[in-house]
Amino acid sequence: MKNYSLGKSNLQSSRLIYGCMRIAGDQSVNAIDKGKRAVLSAIDAGYNHFDHADIYGGGASEQLFGELLKQAPHLREKMILTSKASIRPKNNENTYAPTRYDFSKAYILSSVEGSLKRLHSEQLDLFLLHRPDYLFDIDEVAETFQQLKTSGKVAHFGVSNFKPSQVAMLQSALDLPLLVNQIEINIHNIDALNDGTLDQCQQDKLSPIAWCPLGGVAYSAWGNSFSVEDEQRIADELTSQAQVYNCQPWQIILAWLLKHPAKIFPIIGSTTPERIIAAKVALELNYSREDWYRLFEARNGQAVP
Ligand SMILES: NC(=O)c1ccc[n+]([C@@H]2O[C@H](COP(=O)([O-])OP(=O)(O)OC[C@H]3O[C@@H](n4cnc5c(N)ncnc54)[C@H](OP(=O)(O)O)[C@@H]3O)[C@@H](O)[C@H]2O)c1
């Protein structure tokens, strides 16, 4: 798979990133085996960038991945390892505290330590703030990033689910460039097309990374408010385009994201080796502007003005 620079760095990421959120499944022996096979098939298929978060599987996803790296340490050299932190789910240790976001220095440092330990790694290539903390102090975050960089625990930084104003605010306090903004974008959720997120990515050379790229197609999207008729109209257009391009409808959805000039990196979250491999078909489709707008029109239920 062809690699591309992430943001202004020389980190070369495969255009499709492999998402590790689901790899530990229900944490049964069978699910763990399946997750390991999924990761190995992604590596074989040329994915070199793996996306984690401290909370995936309550830490079980990073743990599983770390076991693989322990068994085959040479795999680490060729890969980009990303993890995220800031979401602190309600737990039994402190039942008073609700689920919350936390950008405090103490929390971020301890979360990165936990990820490194589970991942059996000395350094994260990329660390992302998972969701914006409403009590976000940019100077404290800048100090935390500097400490993580100086200690060698993190090489590069980025954000996730940030609005353009939040990216600009954080960047104003940093000496290092933010490399990515990991956002939800799919045929259902097109906020990033309209709210300036992708504009900022192009302008500031920030790589947009798409989570749940198949949301609403392979399964219901979060907060999906589309009617049955809407879904049918989109499905019909996808089916008809898939026939023209001789591929699967879900591969058209990926091609639709890849067409955007901000250079979106979709994260593939399937745990099925055949789908992990077949996602690459989307990279080869010569997807046209006309088809991009036809699908947009089907999604919106009306032509653009
Ligand atoms: N930053 C954030 O806030 C955030 C939030 C959510 C996720 N993420 C990241 O984004 C990654 C991708 O998210 P995602 O896993 O939701 O992405 P996805 O690739 O859109 O969806 C994967 C899910 O769809 C199913 N699927 C895929 N193709 C299918 C098909 N053709 N027909 C039916 N089902 C199909 C998969 O099932 P099988 O496994 O059975 O194939 C799997 O359950 C995550 O792993 C995580 O790294 C980030």
Side-chain angles (χ1 to χ4, degrees), residues 19 22 51 56 160-161 182 212 214 219 269-272 275:
R22 302 171 193 270
D51 183 70
Y56 292 165
S160 177
N161 301 304
Q182 186 179 122
C212 291
L214 300 177
Y219 56 92
S270 169
T271 52
T272 309
R275 288 183 184 146

Side-chain angles (χ1 to χ4, degrees), residues 10 45 68 89 115 139 178 213 234 238 255-256 267 280:
N10 53 12
L68 276 179
S115 290
D139 295 324
L178 293 167
I234 298 169
L238 282 172
W256 188 82
I267 318 183
K280 294 199 297 178

Side-chain angles (χ1 to χ4, degrees), residues 79-187:
M79 73 176 45
I80 297 175
L81 209 45
T82 290
S83 196
K84 309 187 275 297
S86 83
I87 305 174
R88 295 186 73 171
K90 189 175 174 65
N91 65 31
N92 292 334
E93 278 165 36
N94 176 2
T95 52
Y96 183 76
T99 295
R100 59 213 184 273
Y101 304 140
D102 194 343
F103 283 4
S104 67
K105 187 173 179 185
Y107 182 69
I108 296 297
L109 292 180
S110 74
S111 174
V112 169
E113 280 297 341
S115 290
L116 289 175
K117 204 164 162 203
R118 288 187 292 275
L119 288 165
H120 228 267
S121 295
E122 307 273 308
Q123 186 183 57
L124 292 176
D125 299 293
L126 187 55
F127 171 74
L128 314 184
L129 294 168
H130 203 157
R131 281 190 178 274
D133 179 359
Y134 290 97
L135 304 175
F136 173 8
D137 177 335
I138 51 171
D139 295 324
E140 186 178 8
V141 172
E143 210 180 294
T144 309
F145 280 8
Q146 198 51 58
Q147 189 165 326
L148 287 168
K149 177 89 182 166
T150 308
S151 65
K153 295 192 171 164
V154 174
H156 300 280
F157 299 88
V159 295
S160 177
N161 301 304
F162 269 42
K163 293 295 170 215
S165 61
Q166 294 165 324
V167 173
M169 177 171 82
L170 178 56
Q171 188 62 73
S172 74
L174 299 175
D175 295 328
L176 310 153
L178 293 167
L179 300 192
V180 308
N181 191 3
Q182 186 179 122
I183 48 173
E184 184 186 12
I185 177 163
N186 50 53
I187 194 66

